[in-house]
Amino acid sequence: MGQKGSSGLFRAVSAFGVVGFVRFLEGYYIILITKRRKMADIGGHAIYKIEDTNMIYIPNDSVRVTHPDEARYLRIFQNVDLSSNFYFSYSYDLSHSLQYNLTVLRMPLEMLKTETAHTRQESFDIFEDEGLITQGGSG
């Protein structure tokens, strides 16, 4: 716990990142990366493998509302082994191909802003794939 004279705060857990949040029946859990291993460098960007995670109930165990099926759902979710083949990077987008990422990294900033705005505009045209005419007249 906190030291005498301190603000009353103490470190509950150290983490390298947040995998995400999940909610079952009682409330939310945060899934934290507690152990990582550097696997590669791509263009100066470090790629890490998740070695271990920690799942913490939010807000706290002391205010938990118990539900009979919560433990079963928790066990099922914890069967997903995040330490087998889950990778992350703080600065490199692993959701895109190397070719795409290298193209974006070499693109001048002004062109990148224009392409991002164009992509964002296209993503809202939900009827384009159906061949339907939209208000803009494209189709």
Side-chain angles (χ1 to χ4, degrees):
M1 297 287 182
Q3 296 175 345
K4 187 174 183 179
S6 70
S7 64
L9 299 176
F10 64 96
R11 183 183 306 249
V13 65
S14 292
F16 294 104
V18 176
V19 175
F21 295 84
V22 66
R23 181 174 191 257
F24 300 116
L25 303 170
E26 294 179 5
Y28 287 91
Y29 297 83
I30 185 171
I31 299 108
L32 301 171
I33 300 167
T34 55
K35 189 176 177 186
R36 68 180 183 186
R37 182 168 29 129
K38 187 174 178 181
M39 299 300 288
D41 271 317
I42 298 178
H45 301 275
I47 309 299
Y48 298 95
K49 179 181 186 292
I50 296 176
E51 293 283 313
D52 199 12
T53 59
N54 190 3
M55 192 171 188
I56 300 172
Y57 179 72
I58 301 172
N60 195 333
D61 286 329
S62 64
V63 293
R64 178 176 255 162
V65 178
T66 57
H67 191 283
D69 291 330
E70 182 78 5
R72 185 171 68 100
Y73 291 137
L74 195 55
R75 276 193 310 276
I76 291 169
F77 184 80
Q78 289 174 333
N79 281 334
V80 176
D81 186 10
L82 294 173
S83 66
S84 66
N85 301 322
F86 281 87
Y87 299 88
F88 72 98
S89 175
Y90 298 111
S91 58
Y92 185 82
D93 187 355
L94 292 171
S95 67
H96 287 294
S97 67
L98 175 63
Q99 180 180 2
Y100 176 86
N101 284 339
L102 289 177
T103 303
V104 170
L105 290 175
R106 291 184 181 157
M107 192 179 293
L109 185 58
E110 291 307 313
M111 285 180 64
L112 184 61
K113 287 180 183 176
T114 304
E115 182 176 296
T116 304
H118 180 68
T119 304
R120 192 176 300 135
Q121 187 177 21
E122 284 180 353
S123 67
F124 286 103
D125 192 355
I126 62 172
F127 298 110
E128 186 173 81
D129 292 338
E130 301 296 324
L132 299 173
I133 297 173
T134 60
Q135 289 179 349
S138 66

